């Protein structure tokens, strides 16, 4: 959730660190800091934004080696003192850290008993003091870091520098990402490739339990037991231009607007017009293996989980395989029964979501077959699974997921088509789905063409303190995702319920101050959904309906009509107006749309 940047080379480190931290702002943070090495360590850190940090970094802040950090508070309130980097008492060692040290209290107590005085409330400062102590007893910084990490329980991505060894940075990973960037006689490290792509597209991903030493002329990697490890660099497809707003007011609006292109990329090369099937070679499964699965279990967190619910519905309808979705955090802690006849699907835009990664590792340990649906090539989950589908949606910068969500739903449609055609889905139904997928980009363009009207509706409904979202079967996960979007970026309280469940309790909330957003596709449940609208209206509730036709004027105050596709694919289209509604509501309320409070883009802690 925090951000790390490190540099060693011939240039001044500070501008590179600050620019890298700006690239990581989308991950969410509350404070920032940098340290450079030049005849000692020079540190600047502040509570606030990277722009605030840049104001306190003096012009003569020279040093060709340094590390920087954006912090998302876990131990101690956001403050200048608790901001990273943290230094040892002798100011020899500086550390930045993502993750949580679970035995920090125990380690801190031992250090305090030895006379160490702590400056902050953080768990990270423990590392600085322990590494400094180990450095006094060892010849190399890498050995000091390796020895220290043996005593640490928890997750970490760290970068460490030593004032007495000004030519090297040591980094390590366990559950929190670290990526090395290979330049021309210079080296970089970061928690996300976004901080690197302006300088290099040659990267190396560290594995859990792996460390690396960076020097200007190269790097070497090794395991926690000091064995050398071999790493092959990857070339990332994204460049610095992918992280610009492209003239849009917010990244979120840019990413909503990109969806016709992003789902086209997700489909590209994967549809077979001859046999009306999806080609998914990355699954690494032949037809015989595929037919052997009797159930599909989908795991993810937040919007990824809701896309998994849409995916489960698609797989059941098209492939007739029992399927369900579950939050990864719940799955990993309830000691699940891992069935060899079940195909497990892990979803993560970043490929680094800690709860999902831990669930994948538990499944693998128990012999489960796991595939991934991931956007970030080379990420931890992508490396851990047996196969999968890359989204190719491009980097998603805004904290709220939009284009990755729809591309994930599209990937599930491809997976469902693939599974269905191996089993009992007829060529005629396969053709119908393929044609429907082909229509989606143009239909999304049509929905985006209603942005001005949706903005006006958002202004109308945004002042209400709460909103209800309802839908049936295919519409229910759409309602859940719509409520999620509204509350995470506008801070308007929103609840989502199956429409059929309203009368079993939530209907007590309905009244003039609780508008309802109703997902009403033109499917076999249309009449039942319209009956629900009547129940809401009879109790004085306002209704904003999202569907394929205008209902009786008595049933809805406002309607957003969208194009109709195949009923199985309609949920993908139904999400688009809800994204726009949430975005324009947040703008109307003056929210920080791309960086909503208390949230982070990539959740790499529990």
């Amino acid at each position: 959730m925090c951000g790390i940047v490190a540099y060693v080379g011939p240039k001044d480190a500070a501008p590179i660190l600050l620019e890298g931290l700006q690239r990581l702002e989308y991950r969410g943070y509350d404070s920032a800091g940098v340290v450079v090495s030049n005849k000692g360590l020079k540190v600047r850190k502040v509570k606030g934004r990277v722009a605030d940090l840049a104001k306190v970094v003096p012009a003569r802040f020279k040093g060709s080696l340094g590390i920087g950090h954006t912090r998302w508070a876990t131990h101690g309130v956001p403050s200048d003192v608790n901001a990273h980097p943290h230094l040892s008492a002798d100011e020899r060692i500086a550390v930045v850290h993502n993750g949580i040290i679970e035995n920090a209290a125990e380690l801190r107590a031992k250090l305090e008993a030895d006379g160490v005085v702590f400056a902050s409330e953080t768990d990270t400062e423990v590392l600085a003091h322990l590494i400094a102590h180990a450095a006094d007893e060892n010849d190399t910084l890498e050995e000091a870091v390796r020895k220290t990490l043996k005593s640490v329980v928890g997750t970490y991505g760290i970068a460490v520098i030593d004032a007495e060894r000004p030519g090297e940075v040591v980094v390590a990973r366990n559950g929190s990402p670290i990526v090395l960037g290979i330049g021309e006689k210079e080296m970089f490290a970061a928690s996300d490739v976004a901080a690197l792509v302006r300088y290099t597209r040659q990267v190396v991903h560290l594995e859990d339990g792996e460390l690396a030493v960076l020097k200007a002329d190269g790097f070497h990697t090794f395991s926690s037991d000091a064995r050398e490890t071999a790493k092959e660099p990857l070339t990332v497809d994204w460049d610095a231009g992918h992280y610009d707003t492209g003239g849009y007011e917010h990244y979120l609006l840019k990413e909503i607007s990109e969806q016709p292109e992003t789902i086209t990329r997700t489909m590209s090369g994967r549809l077979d017009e001859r046999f009306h099937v999806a080609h998914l070679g990355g699954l690494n499964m032949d037809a015989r293996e595929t037919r052997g699965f009797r159930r599909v279990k989908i795991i993810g967190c937040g919007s990824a989980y809701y896309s998994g619910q849409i995916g489960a519905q698609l797989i059941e309808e098209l492939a007739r395989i029992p399927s369900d979705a579950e939050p990864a955090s719940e799955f990993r802690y309830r000691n699940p029964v891992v069935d060899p006849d079940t195909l497990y699907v892990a979803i993560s835009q970043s490929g680094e979501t800690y709860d999902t990664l831990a669930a994948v590792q538990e499944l693998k340990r128990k012999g489960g077959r796991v595939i991934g649906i991931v956007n970030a090539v080379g990420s931890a989950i992508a490396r851990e699974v047996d196969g999968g589908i890359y989204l190719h949606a491009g980097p998603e910068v805004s904290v709220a997921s939009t284009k990755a969500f729809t591309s994930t739903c599209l990937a599930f449609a491809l997976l469902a088509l693939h599974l269905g055609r191996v089993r009992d889905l007829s060529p005629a139904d396969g053709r119908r789905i393929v044609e429907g997928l082909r229509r989606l980009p143009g239909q999304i363009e049509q929905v985006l063409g209603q942005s001005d009207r949706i903005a006006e509706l958002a202004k109308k409904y945004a002042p209400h303190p709460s909103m209800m979202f309802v839908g049936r079967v295919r519409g229910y996960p759409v309602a859940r995702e719509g409520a999620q979007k509204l509350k995470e970026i506008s801070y308007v309280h929103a609840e989502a319920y199956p429409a059929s469940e309203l009368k079993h309790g939530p209907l007590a909330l309905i009244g003039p101050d609780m508008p309802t957003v109703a997902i009403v596709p033109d499917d076999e449940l249309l009449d039942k959904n319209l009956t629900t609208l009547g129940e809401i209206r009879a109790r004085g509730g306002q209704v904003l309906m999202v569907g394929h036709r205008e209902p009786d004027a008595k049933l809805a105050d406002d309607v957003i009509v969208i194009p109709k596709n195949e009923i199985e694919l309609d949920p993908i289209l139904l999400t688009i107006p809800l994204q726009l509604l949430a975005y324009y509501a947040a703008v109307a309320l003056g929210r920080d749309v791309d960086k909503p409070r208390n949230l982070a883009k990539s959740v790499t802690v529990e």
Side-chain angles (χ1 to χ4, degrees):
M1 298 176 79
C2 315
I4 287 175
V5 183
Y7 173 78
V8 55
K11 302 171 186 171
D12 278 337
I16 295 170
L17 299 177
L18 289 169
E19 199 274 340
L21 293 179
Q22 287 175 337
R23 294 284 183 183
L24 299 182
E25 285 191 296
Y26 73 96
R27 294 173 68 95
Y29 69 105
D30 49 56
S31 54
V34 292
V35 57
V36 298
S37 179
N38 184 357
K39 298 178 181 179
L41 301 182
K42 300 178 180 179
V43 183
R44 292 292 186 277
K45 51 185 185 173
V46 298
K47 174 188 174 183
R49 297 296 191 192
V50 175
D52 301 316
L53 174 63
K55 292 175 184 176
V56 302
V57 173
R60 296 185 63 79
F61 197 72
K62 303 298 183 182
S64 58
L65 175 148
I67 54 179
H69 192 262
T70 51
R71 175 180 185 253
W72 189 84
T74 57
H75 291 69
V77 299
S79 69
D80 291 358
V81 172
N82 286 333
H84 298 210
H86 288 287
L87 272 59
S88 58
D90 58 4
E91 298 189 351
R92 173 183 170 181
I93 300 294
V95 179
V96 294
H97 163 231
N98 292 350
I100 294 176
I101 306 302
E102 294 175 9
N103 62 336
E106 174 190 342
L107 296 172
R108 187 183 186 108
K110 290 179 180 178
L111 287 165
E112 288 176 332
D114 291 337
V116 174
V117 177
F118 281 77
S120 76
E121 305 167 86
T122 67
D123 56 339
T124 303
E125 191 182 349
V126 167
L127 295 176
H129 296 303
L130 289 173
I131 293 169
H133 179 72
D136 290 336
E137 301 176 348
N138 293 276
D139 294 331
T140 64
L141 178 60
E142 63 186 86
E143 183 60 22
V145 173
R146 194 179 70 83
K147 178 180 177 182
T148 295
L149 293 178
K150 286 183 177 180
S151 66
V152 167
V153 177
T155 59
Y156 53 78
I158 64 170
V160 186
I161 61 175
D162 182 345
E164 295 185 10
R165 296 181 176 88
E168 64 185 42
V169 180
V170 175
V171 296
R173 170 198 171 122
N174 184 50
S176 192
I178 292 290
V179 185
L180 314 183
I182 305 168
E184 290 289 332
K185 297 183 179 179
E186 59 185 357
M187 286 292 300
F188 309 81
S191 52
D192 190 309
V193 294
L196 306 177
V197 290
R198 179 176 174 182
Y199 304 101
T200 180
R201 294 172 65 185
Q202 292 294 111
V203 303
V204 167
H205 294 265
L206 291 191
E207 304 288 347
D208 282 349
E210 210 167 20
L211 300 87
V213 177
L214 280 60
K215 298 182 180 181
D217 58 357
F219 70 97
H220 74 272
T221 58
F222 54 99
S223 64
S224 57
D225 58 1
R227 290 181 295 105
E228 294 288 323
T229 56
K231 309 295 290 188
E232 286 295 325
L234 299 173
T235 301
V236 297
D237 293 332
W238 305 339
D239 58 34
H242 284 98
Y243 294 91
D244 295 331
T245 57
Y248 289 90
E249 186 176 355
H250 298 100
Y251 283 107
L252 184 58
L253 184 58
K254 176 193 177 191
E255 288 157 11
I256 291 172
S257 302
E258 287 176 340
Q259 287 174 111
E261 292 79 28
T262 55
I263 68 162
T264 298
R265 285 203 299 272
T266 303
M267 281 190 287
S268 180
R270 289 170 166 164
L271 291 179
D272 183 328
E273 307 287 352
R274 180 183 176 191
F275 294 106
H276 318 300
V277 70
H279 286 308
L280 300 173
L283 298 182
N284 300 325
M285 294 187 297
D286 61 25
R288 185 185 297 264
E289 229 180 333
T290 301
R291 285 188 63 87
F293 292 114
R294 309 258 61 87
R295 180 175 294 277
V296 177
K297 182 74 171 182
I298 302 165
I299 54 174
C301 297
S303 290
Y305 163 49
Y306 301 142
S307 71
Q309 289 190 304
I310 291 174
Q313 179 74 28
L314 278 161
I315 292 168
E316 287 205 343
E317 287 193 294
L318 297 179
R320 304 305 297 156
I321 304 174
S323 305
D324 68 303
E326 183 177 353
S329 52
E330 294 295 307
F331 178 84
R332 62 179 286 229
Y333 280 122
R334 66 172 178 80
N335 192 24
V337 176
V338 177
D339 186 343
D341 294 335
T342 298
L343 176 64
Y344 296 91
V345 186
I347 321 163
S348 172
Q349 189 281 136
S350 68
E352 301 286 353
T353 307
Y354 184 75
D355 282 319
T356 308
L357 175 59
V360 169
Q361 291 169 338
E362 179 69 3
L363 282 165
K364 296 284 287 179
R365 188 184 69 80
K366 292 182 174 180
R369 182 61 180 263
V370 192
I371 63 171
I373 296 180
V374 171
N375 194 31
V377 175
S379 55
I381 292 173
R383 299 195 307 275
E384 195 80 39
V385 294
D386 298 300
I389 305 171
Y390 279 124
L391 300 180
H392 301 303
E396 193 175 61
V397 176
S398 186
V399 167
S401 181
T402 51
K403 66 180 184 179
F405 179 86
T406 51
S407 282
T408 300
C409 295
L410 192 284
F412 272 117
L414 295 173
L415 178 61
L417 177 62
H418 175 81
L419 295 173
R421 291 290 289 121
V422 168
R423 296 166 70 89
D424 300 319
L425 189 71
S426 70
D429 276 329
R431 181 190 301 111
R432 178 175 63 81
I433 296 301
V434 169
E435 291 173 351
L437 290 168
R438 294 289 192 198
R439 293 197 300 273
L440 279 173
Q443 291 179 317
I444 292 176
E445 289 278 13
Q446 294 177 47
V447 179
L448 295 174
Q450 299 186 58
S451 292
D452 290 346
R453 180 167 178 274
I454 295 172
E456 290 302 314
L457 292 172
K459 289 178 185 177
K460 173 181 175 180
Y461 288 99
H464 291 86
S466 295
M467 292 183 71
M468 184 73 75
F469 286 70
V470 297
R472 265 185 172 85
V473 187
R474 302 177 195 91
Y476 175 49
V478 175
R480 297 192 76 180
E481 171 62 9
Q484 169 101 340
K485 282 291 156 288
L486 186 69
K487 57 193 169 191
E488 70 182 329
I489 61 173
S490 75
Y491 317 150
V492 172
H493 172 252
E495 295 198 42
Y497 272 88
S500 57
E501 284 290 297
L502 269 186
K503 62 179 71 69
H504 298 290
L507 201 58
L509 296 171
I510 297 298
D513 292 330
M514 173 74 94
T516 297
V517 178
I519 313 304
V520 186
D522 193 357
D523 59 13
E524 72 277 11
L525 299 172
L526 176 63
D527 290 341
K528 292 185 180 298
N529 279 320
L530 293 178
T531 298
T532 299
L533 301 192
E535 294 170 353
I536 295 169
R537 294 284 283 159
R539 287 154 179 84
Q542 298 181 70
V543 173
L544 169 57
M545 180 184 132
V546 180
H548 297 120
R549 62 169 76 174
E550 294 271 357
D552 188 306
K554 296 177 181 178
L555 295 179
D557 297 272
D558 298 288
V559 182
I560 301 172
V561 177
I562 68 165
K564 175 133 184 62
N565 201 296
E566 303 303 319
I567 58 174
E568 298 92 342
L569 302 178
D570 280 334
I572 299 174
L573 285 167
L574 288 163
T575 64
I576 309 298
L578 303 186
Q579 294 172 353
L580 290 167
L581 184 72
Y583 170 75
Y584 286 114
V587 170
L589 294 170
R591 309 305 191 207
D592 190 345
V593 173
D594 289 324
K595 305 183 192 73
R597 67 188 182 197
N598 304 330
L599 300 180
K601 182 64 178 174
S602 180
V603 183
T604 55
V605 296
E606 292 189 74

